[in-house]
Each structure stands twice: as C-alpha cells, then as structure tokens.
Amino acid sequence: MLEIIAKLMPILPLFAFFVVALIVFLFEKTKYSTDELKEFSFYTKKPKTKVPKEIYSSITILAILTSFIFTVILALNFLNKEFQVFNLFSWVIFENYKINLGFLYDNLSIWVSLMVTFVVLMIQIYSTGYMENDRDYPRFFAYLSLFSSGMLITVLASSLVTFIIGWEIMGLCSYLLIGYWYHKDSASFAAKKAFIITRLGDLGFLLALFILVSNGISLDIIELNKIEVVKMLSVLVPIGLMVAAFGKSAQVPLHVWLPDAMEGPTPVSALIHAATMVAAGVYLVARVYPMFYYIDIVGIKLVYIVGFIGAVSAFLAATMGIVNRDIKRVLAYSTMSQLGYMFAALSAGVYGVVAAIFHLITHGFFKALLFLSAGSVITAIEKAHHKILEEKNHHNTHDTHNSTNNDNHNAHHHMDPNDIWIMGNLKESMKITFITFTIGFLALAGLFPLSGFFSKDEILNVLLSNNYILFFVLTFITVLLTAFYMSRIWVISFLKKITKNEHEQVNEIDYNDVQEIHKNIKESPLNMTIPLIILAIFSIIVGIINLPFDFLFVNKHIFSDSIKEIFKDLIHNKQELHFNLMLVLSSTLLLVLGLVLAIIIYLPERKRYIPNLLSEIYKVLTKRYYFDDFYHVVSRYVIRSFSNLVNFIDNLVVDGAVNKVADQFHKGSIVSNKVFNGLFYNYYLWITIGLALSVLVILFSK
Amino acid sequence: MEILFKLFPEIILTISIIFNILIVSISKKTKELKNSFLLVFVFSIVFTIAALFLQLYFIINQGDVGSLSLIINNIVIYDIGSFEVISKIMLSIIAIILTSISSIYFNLNKEEYEHRYFKLEYLPLFLTVLLGSFVLVSASDLLTFLIGFELVAVPSYFVIALDNKNKIALEGSIKYFLIGSISTISIIFGILIFYIFNEGFLYHVNFSNLNLVSLKLAFLFILIGIILKLGVFPFSFWIQDAYYASRTPYLLLISTLPKYSVTLALVKILSYIQDGYFKVLISVLAVLSMVISVFWALNENDIKKIIAYSTIFNMGFVLIPFTGFSFNIQDKIYILSLVNFYVFQYVLSAILILGVLLYLEEKYDTTDIIKLRGALNNNKVLAFLLVLGLLSTAGLPPTIGFIAKFLVLAFSYKFNPILVLIAIIFSVASLYYYYRIAKELYVEKSFNFNNDLSSLDFSLGSSFLYYASLFSVSILLIILGFIPYFITNTFYLISITLTNF
C-alpha cells in the first residue's frame, strides 16, 4: 500500500494535467479571434467554458491535496528511517548498465516535498480567486498541475534521469506560464528569455549526464553520493550540474530571466519563486552534495565557487531590489538574494546543507505569502480600475462608444498595477492583505521569532563558524539591504499617503484617476485571503522544526538531525554548531536599522525623487549592473558575427562539399538508371557476370 | 498419431489450401461462397497458430534443447525445434497482419469486386506461400529445402499476375518467373555438386567440412540462389520490376513473407558452416548493394521502386555481420540472431509503409510521388504511420529500425571498420529518399485531386482491421525500439538451440 502511495504521489498532478487536457479537448471548442486576444485583459472577459470552470480547478486541487496527504502519510512512515527507493522502470542500455526511473524517499526529499505540496496547494486554492475571470481558466490550472508534478518528480528523483525529467517539465512549464498571456509582447519575450537562459544552464546538466553515462557510472543518486564513486568522477560532472543549478536558481550571471519572469500571473510567480523551479537548483546541489564537497578545480573546492556565486548574487540582487518600482520585481530580486544565501550556505559542509535546506523550506512559505499578498493588491487595483472603466463606458453615448472603448484600453495599458507608486496607503482598504504582507516581509527580513529569523541566522552562523569571512560579510550586509528594500515597498505601498506633488514627480498617469481607483479598492475574496492567512501562520511557526537552541518542549533539532543523517559520511569533526547570541543581536540590529531607515526616508513627503549624490549608483542599479546590456551586446555583436562566420563557412565549405557530393550522386544516379534499363537480357547478363565473378572470388580467395 | 501432431500446422494449411482451391473453382463469386471461403482462410491461420503454440509448449516442457523433430533411422528429416516453431509463429503473425490489412477488400459486393484487381484466388496462393515458408524453415536436408523454396517462389509469380488486365503486371510476373528460375537452377546445381561429392542431402552431414573446392562451389551456388531471392546486387534485378508490377496488396505478400522465410533458411544453413571463407564475396556484395541501390533510388519517383531499392539496400546491410563469420561459436550465434532480428524488423517496417501505400494506390490509382504530392495532407493518422515506417526503415530512433542498424554496426565494427563506415555513409545518403517520400506526401501542399477512384471505404469504422493492424505494427515498432531486449533475447536463445548439435 505504501509502495503504491509512494509511486503515485508525485505523478498525481501529472494525471490531473492529462485529465484536464482531455476534458478541454473533448468539450471546449471556444476559439478566440485575434481582436479578442488583443483587447483581452485578465479581468475583462468572462470565461466561456462549456464545462463549469470549477470542475477544472477542483480536479487539480484534489490531485495536489491528495499528494499532500500522501506525503504526510509517507513522512510519518519513512522520516528518520532508512531511505526507500521505489523503482518504476529500468531501462537497460547494456547488459549491466541500467538507467532507473523511480522515486527516492529519504529525509531530504520528504522534508522538501512536504513544503512543496503544501505551498502548491495554497497557491492553487488562491488561484481560483485570482484567475476567476480569466479566459483560459482550465489551461492555467492544467499548467499549474503539470508544474507541481515536475517539481515533485525532481525532488523525489531516485536517479539523475528522473531528476532531469522533472527539471525539464518545469523548464517547459515556466515557459508556458510566464508566457501565459502570450498575446502580450513583453510576456512572450520574457518567456523566451527564461527558457533560453535556463536552457543554457541545462546544457551543463546534459553534459554531466553524458559524461556519467559514457563512463559507465550509475546515475542513481544513492550511488552518486557514495564517496568511492565521487572520487572517480570527472570534474566536469559537478561543474555541469553547478551551471545548471545556477541557471535554474537565477544566480549571477544567469539571473537575468528572473525579474522578467514577473510577466506571468502572480500565482505563477509565487510558484516559480517559492515552492518550485528556482528551489530546484539549490536542491540539486544539496542532493548530490558529496561530489561538490570532494571535487576541486585548480585547488579550489567547488563548494567555494558555489558559495562565492551565491554570496555575490545575494548582495547584487539586494542592491538591485532597492531601486525597483515594480512590487513583483522587487520580490523577484529578493528571491534571487535569498537563493544566494542558500548557495552561500552550501559552501559550508553538512551544517551548511542543513541551513540551506532549512532556509529553502521557510523561504518557500514566506515568499509564497509575499507574492500572493502582492497579487492580492495587484488584482484589487486591476478590479477597481476595471470598475471605473466600465462605469465610464456605461455613461458614454452609443455614437462614441467604439472610440472611447479604444481610449480606455489605451489608458489601461498605461497604468501598471504592479507599480508601488500608484499603490500607497493600502492598509486601510486591504487590512488582511496588509497584515499578511507585513508578516511575510518581516519573516523575509528575519525578525525574531518569525521563521525567516531562524533559517537566516543559521546560515550566518554557519558561515561565521567556518571562518568564511568574505561570504559572511556579503551576506551580513545583505541583511541590512534586505530589510531596507522590503521596508521600502512595504512603506510605500501600504503606509504612505502619496501626495499629488510626489505623484506627479514619478507617475505619468493622472493623480485623480489613481485617487478614484483607491476609492474603489476592496479586500480580496475569501478564497484568496484564507490561503494568505494559512501561509502567514506557517511563515510564523515553521521555524519550529529547527530551533537553534533548546526551546521549551522542543529539545531536539528534528530537522537538522534528519538531514545530517543523510550526509553522515561527510562529517569529519564532531564540531557542533553553537548558538551565537552576538550574531543574533547584531543581525537584528541591522534589520531594525534598515527598517527605520526606510521609514525615515520614504514615509514623509519627499521633495526630490532621488538625492543627487546617489544618482550615479542609482543609474547603475536601475540598469541592473548592465547585465542585460552585456547579454544584449554579446548576442547582438559577438554571437551574430560568429554566426556570420559560421554561416559563411557553412555556405562555402560545408554546403559546397555537400552539394558537390550530392551532384555526383545525382549524376551517378542518372547513369546507373540508364545502365540498368529494365530489359531482360540486360538483367540476365549482369546476373551471369555476377555469378561468374563470385565463382572466381571463391576459387581464388583464402 | 505422433506424426499428425508434429506436422499439424502444415496439415491444417494444406487442407485449407485444398478447400480454398475447391471453393474458388466451384464459386462464381457469390456472396455466400465468398464468406465460407474467408471462414476457411481465417480459421486455418488461427488453428495453425494454436497448433504452433501447442508444439512450443511441448518443446519447452522437454527442457533446454527439446525438439519434436521427425527422426527416421537416426536421421533428422524434418526439424521442429524451438527455432523452427518460434520462427513459424513469427511468420504466422506476419501472415495475420497481412490478412488484416487486405481485409479491406473482403467486404466488397459483387459489382465492386468486378472492378477490382484484387482476386480471391490470392488467398490459396497466400496460404501456399505460408506453407512453403514452414517447410523452408523446418527443412533439414537440401531436397526439402528446395521444395519449400519453390512453394514460396511459385505462388509469388502467380500473385503478381492476378491483376491480369494489366500488361505491366504480366510483364513483371514473367520477369520475376524467369529470374526466379535462375535462382532455382543455381540451387539445384549446387545440390547436384553436393550429391556427387558427398552422397547425401542432409545439412549437417554435408556442410560440416568445407575444405573441398567442390563443396565450396556447391555452397556458393546455393547461397547465390538464396540471395537472389533476397535481392542482393547484382542478383537483384527482378526486384524493382516485380515490385513495380505488383499491386500493393500483392506487393505486401511478396516483399515480406518470402523474404523472412528465405532469411530463416539461410540462417539455418549457415548455422552448419564453421568456416568463413565467403567473407570477401559477402562484403563485396554488401557494398555493391548499398552503393548501387542508393544511386538507383535517388532519382526514382515511384514509391514502389523506392521500396524495392530500399529492400536491396537493407539486404546489403544485413550481409555486413557475416564478415565476422568465423570458427568462434559465440560470434556465429550472435550473427545468426542479428540477421534474423534485422530482417524481421525490416519486414515489420515495410508492412507499415506498404499498408499506407495501399490506401494511396486505392484512392489515387498511382504510386508516383509527384502525382501524389500532398495526398496525406488531410490524413494525419496515415501520415504518422507512414513517417514512422520510414523512420524505422531508415534506421532512426526511437524505432526498432534504429536498434537493428545500431546492433549490426556495433557488432561488425571490430571485424570490418571500413565496411561499417561505407554502410553509415550510404545510410545517410538513403535518408534522402525516405525523407523525400514523407516530404512530398505530407509536407508539400496538395494538388487538387479529382481522380478519387476508390470505392473502398477507408473510414475508421468500416476498415477497423486495416487500421488496427497498422497501429499494432506501429506500436510494436516503437515499443521494441525502447525495449529491444525482449525480442533480441528471443532471437539469441533460438539461435543457440540452432547450433546445438
């Protein structure tokens, strides 16, 4: 029974995807014209599904709910026990070389899949509210289900092949979901960008797989974690996996897709940033950690490179987050920054892995909470705006109906509902969202006693106790920056009353319009706020699984002990991680400093938008350290000139040769068709010649 | 009684052939008779397979090398071991697939039947080919082999000529017969030399020691007779004309069953030979077949002729592993199973392509690529099946054709790398004409067809068996492409039993 559950658990959402696809294929025949597509916005059209749309969402939600229940059952049975491998299928390539497709249940995968199923469940419930008026409601839920299945397959993979199957499903789904509103140019560009850049990283994964297979090394994760296997690996294997992880987890320099990925619907952003996709990169490194730990390149351990990239990404992302006006993009940068924390922690041995996975789990909860809260705000603004547009349309006469309609749509396109400068003072109108966002933001910043505090503190502690000063300093400063930029968007969007003067400095649209929108803003419906509340509660309490000190009734480190169990081979010295009060106090101090600074700077009415002194830095930051420009130049000039060269060679040399050969073949073909021309005596002649020559060959050969 | 059980499949087929011929001669194509005719036909194949499985059950129960062979005076006169029975099962399965594809003609009414080239006389001829294949596989001496060979060959000449209002068909039939007679002459001549120098017809008496020049020559003549039937250059000239002349349902028969049964006979004869003295000859023939067939096919517009050239190419290809033929028994077993597997998968792929061609020829009365341009634009199901068949024949993954080509090349590489290189180059060249078929029929935009001649209904409901058989073949091609070990192991095991003497 357990075996069936264990095999079924990650695949259930996949089944749900196919069921939804089948129902759509059988019953939904609605086609949208190009005009409809163009004038579409996600709240303007009522969905025209033939089957009640709730059926679709209930299928997928039921699937992920069952998965969650199964995970809990499996966790109760398998956690802190010997690992279990459930093989679905073995593909025999050679006699003694098998490629296994199956699921591995050990402490690491169970902890992460608990978080994944729960958060995905919340996101799907929330989506029923968020996507309520969407045209392609079933498509959205189908993709969401496929996506979560991809993540579960990845997390529970028993071999790297299973891993890459889930990994690629996620890559595909991220493309489909970021480009969900594909009629918007920005969305389709962002989808392409995300796909291509993660794909660049995936090349590393494929390279690693090819090297492993060609060397005849088993792809099973259990095998790959054995030290004697690790010792004989090529250095290219962990490097390839590392590049893949950086691409997927948006670390410098493969991070440029992440902010643009905000073009998708907000639940998608929550899914990508909290529970799935980006977490997969961190998880990959943790999953095959021994090879990173033991293999070094030119004397530098690979884990240091991982940690360095992580720390740098954490810092750079935090600085970029400071200047952005788009609430979702700021959250995206914070994701990148937090992932940087995790990678930095991964540099520090087994305790680092514990800290990284712990942060991965807590981050999953509060980042989902933050995104969903932001989505709640965004959809409230969109709804209010839409209401106003409808009222205007209602008042207009029939003669001018068409033109005003177009105007209104233009007006809509100018307004960016993600912009924090058109929010302002939402704490009155959206009380629940305000509270949940505040909890999420404080958890992210790492305030005691929210969950983020414990995990972040553990990372800082582990870096400090290993004497990784550079990584520590970068991440420590990032605490201040994180507190600052998160407080900034919190203050501006929820607390600040934006005056007309300020508004005109930063916005193009009319102040009165915005005021009118603000009057119409209402709190989101229950199916959106309830997941928010649940996630908020979990964001507060989830740190309990790994309290850094003996705390009331919890005197065991449930989480860290079980993760350490997996990597017990790697623990050389029995050195324990000690609770560091000074560190806690100083990081909390930094946090409060950032918070206060943001309130002082942004809450009062401001005369100038930017202080002149900082404008140079500001420019660099808004240009995102010129990473995008760099890629642009590379793709525009370097790659293009290289392609021109290749094209030239291809036309002249390769095609030339091929065409010459093909010509010769063609001529030979004509000649041979003439020689063998269908006359019977001709055939007879050839057969006789063949027979005679055969006899000669046989007589005179050995 | 024991003999009755051992020869049960053959006896069933013989009785069924006699019944069929009787019905054909009595009947004037009335509906009732036609139905009883089909009934006899279907039942005979079903019973044959049942009998074969029964025999297999008995053989397996006897242990590793169990056999039901007919033995008189300690001499095996008719082999019925696991190799033979499993090969016969494979042949019967191919026969069932062919019947299901042709079943589209069976429910025509009288008027429609008058206008069709498909004649019910096809069925006894078909069963005769099957019977001949059985005899060929089971033969353990050269005379029985010759009987089987002729039982396979002679009905094939008639089958082409069934379309007797068509001059091309008659011409093709005569050409096929004349060149087929050369192969018979060659084989009989070989047998003659054997008998003179060895005073016997049995395989394993005669072939065990091949140091005499006369025996080498005798074997050479038999070999050439066999590869003339397979279609290896320069003994392949009948093939394009016979293929072009025959209508697709007949082509389905003559390009599949005889090919496979003759290959099985070749495998069986070769299993008695321990010397590889014919390696040079075989490699020359293989290279010539592959090179010339590609040259021929590049400029060809008729799909049937392209399939004929592809047959020549593949028969050249299947000769490659023989270059590793030596005293090493393991290698020999591997070669025999490889050849068996290769031809089997080739036959399956050819069935798929020809099955789709059947539809095209029925519908547009032509097999010319240019005239058929865009013909499958609106029929995605058949286009898929056609492309799958072409992929498999061309040897691209994820089909079984890829596995077969790969295994052949991987095995032969250590014996003859240059030959393998040539094979790879010309496999790539052959992709051109496979691709061209798919491109012209499906990718290119359609002409306006107004010559839709067919009274046959190809809708999914009324030709259920046709689609079901094509789909089952396609599923087989893909599944075996992923998990080939099931079937390659079977072939390997039965080849082991073949060399146990």
Side-chain angles (χ1 to χ4, degrees), chain A residues 655-671:
Chain A
D655 274 11
V658 168
N659 286 338
K660 275 279 180 302
V661 172
D663 280 350
Q664 294 310 315
F665 267 75
H666 187 69
K667 279 176 192 160
S669 170
I670 291 171
V671 170

Side-chain angles (χ1 to χ4, degrees), chain A residues 197 242-243 245-258 305-320 333 336-337 339-340 343 624-627 630-631:
Chain A
I197 292 190
M242 186 174 77
V243 172
F246 287 158
K248 211 66 158 182
S249 289
Q251 297 297 292
V252 174
L254 295 176
H255 66 282
V256 289
W257 64 272
L258 195 71
I305 300 174
V306 172
F308 178 73
I309 298 276
V312 169
S313 300
F315 179 74
L316 291 186
T319 51
M320 287 188 270
Y333 283 122
M336 183 181 155
S337 174
L339 289 164
F343 277 113
R624 310 166 182 184
Y625 292 104
Y626 300 103
F627 268 111
F630 171 72
Y631 281 116

Side-chain angles (χ1 to χ4, degrees), chain A residues 91 93 669-670 676 678 683, chain B residues 175 237 241 295-296 299 482 485:
Chain A
W91 190 32
I93 295 187
S669 170
I670 291 171
F676 309 105
Y683 292 175
Chain B
K175 270 184 184 168
F237 289 101
D241 286 338
F295 276 121
W296 276 337
N299 226 4
F482 280 108
Y485 277 79

Side-chain angles (χ1 to χ4, degrees), chain A residues 178-243:
Chain A
I178 292 169
Y180 180 74
W181 291 317
Y182 51 85
H183 46 86
K184 273 162 69 184
D185 280 349
S186 55
S188 62
F189 284 139
K192 273 188 259 176
K193 196 171 177 181
F195 193 69
I196 289 170
I197 292 190
T198 48
R199 208 62 222 160
L200 265 179
D202 291 353
L203 281 181
F205 204 131
L206 288 175
L207 177 76
L209 278 189
F210 294 156
I211 291 172
L212 285 174
V213 173
S214 65
N215 289 345
I217 297 169
S218 170
L219 295 179
D220 289 357
I221 282 166
I222 295 293
E223 289 290 316
L224 284 173
N225 280 354
K226 286 180 182 158
I227 290 169
E228 62 270 19
V229 176
V230 166
K231 290 264 163 68
M232 61 190 209
L233 284 181
S234 155
V235 69
L236 284 174
V237 174
I239 288 180
L241 295 179
M242 186 174 77
V243 172

